Amino acid sequence: MADAVVEFLLENLKQLLLYNSDLIYGVKGQVDSLYRELSLMNAFLKDAKEKRNEYEYVRELVRQIRDVAYEAEDIIDTFVVNSAMQKERSTFSRIVHVFDYPTKLRSVAKDIESIKTKVKEIYDNKMFGIEALYTVESSNRASSSSQRRKPMVEEDNVVGFDEEAKELVSRLTNISELLEVVSIVGMGGLGKTTLAKKVFCDPAIEFHFFVRSWVYVSQEYNRKELLLAILTSVVDYPSEQMYKLNEEMLVEEIYKHLNGRRYLVVLDDVWTPDAWNDLKMAFPNQNCGSRILLTSRNTDVALIANPDSLPHHLKFLNDDESWELLSTKVFRRGSCPFELVELGATIARKCYGLPLAIVVVAGLLLKKDKTRDLWKKVAESVSSYVARDPKQCMDVLALSYKHLPDHLKVCFIYFGAFPEDYPIPVWKLLNLWVAEGFIQQKGQDCLEDLAEDYLEDLVERNLILVAKRRSNGRIKTCRVHDMLRDLCLKEASEEKFLQVIKGHQILDSNSLIIPYHRRLCVHSHVMNFIHSRPSGPHVRSFLCFPCEEKELSREHTSFIHESFKLVRVIDMMSINISRFPIEITQLVHLRYIALFGNFKVVPPSISKLWSLQSLIVETTSRDLDIQVDIWKMSQFRHLRTSGSSRLHGPKAKTRMDNEDPFVQRNIQTISTISPDSCTENILARTPNLKKLGIRGKLSLLMEEKRSGITCAPSLFDNFAKLDNLEKLKLLNDTFPRPPPEGKLRGLPSLYKFPPHLNKLTLSDTLLDWKHMSTIGMLPHLQVLKLKVYAFKGAEWEALDGGFRLLKVLQIGKTDLVVWKASGHHFPRLEHVVVEQCSNLLGIPVGLADVSALKSLELYHTPSAVDSARLIQQQKKMQQQMLVTSHGFKLLIYPPE
C-alpha cells in the first residue's frame, strides 16, 4: 500500500508544480525538493517489493515511508486549502489577516524541511539494513520451496461436489484422442483441490488412465523440484540418478516415460501462465486421450493453458449443502440436536457457501460444548470466529491478495468500503477509483477504460464476483464475498486505508474523532454519526450507506466542511439533504461529489472546485439548473443527474484565430440534460463524450426551425459531430400533456446520428414502427432498448438490410400485435427481452434461425409464450445436430 500512497502523492505534487504553482507560492522550491526525495523512496519501494514478505526490517521501513508520505500529504494539502482561502479573501479581509498567511508560509516551509529530514533518515537506514539482508537472501530462498504449505484437502465427507465431479470425469474421459487441458477455477477456499482429489480417485478415472500423477505447484515453485515430482510418480522404480539430471534432461525423461501412454497429470494450485509454460513441454500429445487437470485461482491461467475449452468454474455451496457439510463435520455420524438446528443453519448460511470457512467453524464447534448459548454467539459473529484460526482460512485467502500487483491491491481492498452483500454499480466504482487516484495515466488510454480492465483482472483472479452483466457482456454490478471483504477490512485497517463505522459504534459518542484513517465509510445510522460532530483531519473520502428516511436539516449541512477539510470524495446519496450544501465549495481538493435532495439549482460556486471530476446529483425536482461553469474545470469528466438538467455553455466568447480554450476533452458523461441544452455551443466542446442522456420534450430537439423560406438546423444536427459517442438515451417527457401531443413525428435522417453509436435507448417517443428502418441502418448499433411506448402501432415488419450488428433487442410496454421478421433480419442477435406486450400474438419463429441467439425473456406477455416455446424446441434440435455450439435459455415470467 505504501507504493500507492507515495505514487499518488508524487502525482499530486507534480500537478501542483506544473499547473497550480500559484497555490504553493513561497514554498515551491521546498515542494520541488520534496518531490525529488520522495521519488528516491518510490524507487526503493519498487526494488524492495520481493523482500517485504521475507523480512520484518523491510516491512517496517515500508510502514515508515507510508506514514511519512501521509504526513507530507497532509502538510501540502492543508497549505493549499489555506492558500486558496487567502486568494478568495477580499482586500479588506487580507488586511485583517495580514500576518496569518506569512506565518503559515514559514510554518509549512519548516514542516516540509522536517519531512525531508525524515525521508533522508529512512533512506540512510535502509541502505545500511538492506545490504545486510542480501547476504542471507540466497540461503533463505533455497530453503523456501521445502517450506511451502500444501492446501488442506478434504477427502472424506465431501459435500456438494457429486454433480461437478461427474461432469469433470465425463470431460476427462471423453472420446477425443488429443491431449486436452481441463481446468478447475475459483476463489481460494472454494474446494478446487478437494474436487480435483475426488476426481483423481474416482474408479472410472483409475480405470481409464494407465498413468496418473499429482503435483502441487503453488505461488513460489522450483521448476526442477516439480519436474522431479512428476518423473518419480510416473516411473516404476525411481533412481538416485534422476536427482542429478538438469531441468532439460528431466523434461526429456518425463516425455519419454509418458509417450505412447494414456496419462492424467494433475497440476494443483497453478498461479501464473509462466508456471504452465515451464511444465507443458514435458507432456507428449500422441493421440492417446491423455489429459491435464489444472486447478487455479486465476481464470487467465486456465484460458492460456487451453484457449479452446472453457474452464470449470467451481460454484459456492448452497444453504442446504453448507448446513450438511457443517453438521457432518461437527456431529460425524450423529445427528444435530433439534434445539441447535436453526442456529446451525444460520451459522452455515453466514459462511456464504465457502467450504473452507465452514470447515474452520466446524472445527471450533467440534471442540466446544454443544450449547445453545455458544452457538448463538457464533451465529451472531461468524466471521470473527473464522478469523480466530487465521492459518486455516484468512491466510489462505490472503495468498491471493499478496499475489496481486500493487495497482490491483489498492483497488481490491477498496471493496471493504461497501456494505456486506451490496451490489456495487460498476460505473460508480470506476469513477471512485479514478477520483481516489488509483488509476495512473498510461499514454492516451482513458482512465475509466483502464479501471474497467483492472476490475476484469480481479474477476479473472476470482477475487470479485459478477452480480449482473450488461446486455453487451460488460459488468454492470459486482460484489465481494464476505470472507474476502473481511480480508479487505483487515488489510485496510493495518494500512490506515479506511475505517468502517456502524451505528452501534457512535450511538453513545458525543464527539467522534477519526485519528488516522484516510477513508471513512458509515454503513448505518448516518444521522447519528453526523450529530456526533465527527472530526477527521486526515480523512480524504467520506461515503455513506445505506439510504435513510430522515432529512438532513439545514443546520447540519455544514458538518462536512467543518469535519473533513481535506476530503476529496463525498458520496452522500443515502441522505436526503434539505438544501444544496454550499459550504462544500470550500473543500478545494474535492474530485467526486454525489448528493441527493430536493435541489432545483446547482450553484455556480461549484466552479471553484478545480479538481472536480464527477458531479452526481439526484433530485426530487423535475428540473435542475446546472449553473456550474464546467468549461473552466479542466479535470471534469462526468455529470450525472436524475432530472431534466439545464446545462449552460461558456459565458465568454472565443477568438476564431486561436484554439478554443473551453473545449473539454476529458468530459465523457453528460446525463440527463434538457433538449434545449444540446446546442453547438455545448456539444462542440465535448469531442470525447461517450455517453449522453436527454430528458424532456424531444420535439424541441428534433424539429427544424423555419425562418421565412429557409430552415435552421435542428439541435439534433449537433450529434453528428460527436465522433466518440457510444451511448445515447432519449427520454421523452410528455408531462403534463397527454401522450398524443408528445408524439414524435419521426426520426432525423441517418447521417445526423452520431457516427459510432452502439447503444440507443428510447422511451415515450410514441414513434410509428416504420421509423425502425432508420434505426436499423445505424452501422455500429449493437444494443437497442425500446422502453415504455418508444413505438406505437399494431404491426412491425422488419425490412431487409438492417440491424447488421445488433446483439441485444429489448421491447418494453407497447400496443404491438404483430411482429413480422425472419432470421436474416437480425443476423447477429443474441438476446431478446420483451416486457408487458400484452397484445403481442407471438415472437417471430424465424428468429430460431439466428445461430447467435442465446436467450429469450418474456415478462407479462402471455400470448407470445407458445411461439417462444417453439423457438426453444428448434434451438434444442439445432444444438443436438451441432448446428450451434452454445445453449439457449428461455425465461418466462410469471411462470406458467
Side-chain angles (χ1 to χ4, degrees), residues 452-735:
E452 190 170 15
D453 289 343
Y454 290 0
L455 177 61
E456 290 284 0
D457 201 343
L458 290 171
V459 170
E460 292 292 308
R461 294 169 186 266
N462 290 286
L463 285 169
I464 301 302
L465 304 171
V466 176
K468 189 175 182 180
R469 288 196 179 271
R470 294 189 178 277
S471 50
N472 60 6
R474 292 161 75 174
I475 305 171
K476 184 174 185 178
T477 57
C478 60
R479 64 183 185 88
V480 62
H481 190 279
D482 275 42
M483 294 297 167
L484 286 175
R485 180 177 173 274
D486 289 340
L487 173 65
C488 291
L489 292 174
K490 175 177 174 291
E491 296 291 337
S493 178
E494 290 177 2
E495 296 288 349
K496 303 177 183 177
F497 182 77
L498 68 82
Q499 179 181 6
V500 170
I501 292 182
K502 296 185 179 180
H504 61 81
Q505 296 171 279
I506 53 180
L507 288 173
D508 300 324
S509 175
N510 292 323
S511 182
L512 189 66
I513 299 175
I514 301 93
Y516 306 117
H517 293 86
R518 316 300 276 190
R519 291 161 189 84
L520 185 63
C521 314
V522 184
H523 285 184
S524 62
H525 298 84
V526 180
M527 293 300 180
N528 289 332
F529 172 80
I530 293 171
H531 295 157
S532 71
R533 301 189 300 278
S535 173
H538 307 288
V539 169
R540 294 307 196 277
S541 300
F542 177 59
L543 298 95
C544 301
F545 309 89
C547 294
E548 296 200 359
E549 296 294 328
K550 296 179 181 177
E551 184 180 87
L552 184 66
S553 58
R554 287 176 177 266
E555 60 266 26
H556 287 107
T557 54
S558 63
F559 89 95
I560 304 173
H561 168 249
E562 295 168 357
S563 302
F564 313 123
K565 295 183 183 297
L566 305 181
V567 72
R568 296 191 192 103
V569 171
I570 293 176
D571 191 331
M572 294 174 59
M573 291 290 284
S574 62
I575 307 172
N576 188 351
I577 303 175
S578 59
R579 69 174 180 88
F580 197 92
I582 198 70
E583 297 84 0
I584 66 173
T585 58
Q586 298 177 54
L587 302 172
V588 297
H589 295 293
L590 270 175
R591 297 180 171 200
Y592 179 103
I593 305 172
L595 301 172
F596 168 69
N598 185 24
F599 310 131
K600 295 184 183 298
V601 175
V602 179
S605 54
I606 294 292
S607 311
K608 298 176 185 177
L609 302 175
W610 64 78
S611 295
L612 192 65
Q613 297 175 356
S614 296
L615 176 60
I616 303 159
V617 180
E618 192 162 317
T619 175
T620 55
S621 173
R622 295 185 63 84
D623 303 304
L624 184 66
D625 190 8
I626 307 290
Q627 296 182 359
V628 184
D629 191 356
I630 63 173
W631 316 107
K632 293 181 179 179
M633 304 164 71
S634 61
Q635 303 300 313
F636 197 76
R637 307 177 75 84
H638 305 282
L639 173 66
R640 293 177 180 270
T641 66
S642 59
S644 178
S645 302
R646 184 119 188 271
L647 187 62
H648 302 268
K651 295 177 181 178
K653 293 183 179 180
T654 61
R655 294 192 301 270
M656 298 300 294
D657 57 337
N658 290 328
E659 184 178 349
D660 190 341
F662 300 114
V663 171
Q664 294 289 13
R665 301 188 183 280
N666 285 327
I667 294 180
Q668 296 181 46
T669 306
I670 297 179
S671 183
T672 52
I673 58 172
S674 60
D676 57 359
S677 298
C678 299
T679 62
E680 184 179 13
N681 191 28
I682 291 175
L683 296 184
R685 293 186 166 97
T686 58
N688 294 322
L689 190 66
K690 291 185 175 181
K691 181 176 181 179
L692 176 61
I694 301 163
R695 180 190 295 274
K697 296 177 176 60
L698 295 184
S699 57
L700 300 176
L701 185 70
M702 309 286 189
E703 292 175 358
E704 298 177 341
K705 296 180 180 179
R706 291 191 173 274
S707 177
I709 59 173
T710 61
C711 284
S714 69
L715 292 174
F716 197 95
D717 290 23
N718 297 314
F719 294 178
K721 297 176 183 178
L722 296 174
D723 290 340
N724 293 295
L725 193 72
E726 298 173 354
K727 301 176 183 179
L728 177 62
K729 185 179 290 187
L730 301 173
L731 311 176
N732 195 28
D733 191 349
T734 58
F735 182 86

Side-chain angles (χ1 to χ4, degrees), residues 102-135:
T103 302
K104 289 175 180 176
L105 200 62
R106 289 191 294 271
S107 175
V108 76
K110 184 178 178 181
D111 289 339
I112 292 175
E113 288 302 319
S114 174
I115 290 290
K116 286 167 60 181
T117 301
K118 290 180 182 180
V119 171
K120 189 175 186 306
E121 287 175 359
I122 293 173
Y123 194 79
D124 291 342
N125 289 338
K126 73 94 178 169
M127 291 303 292
F128 173 78
I130 294 298
E131 288 172 3
L133 295 178
Y134 275 107
T135 59

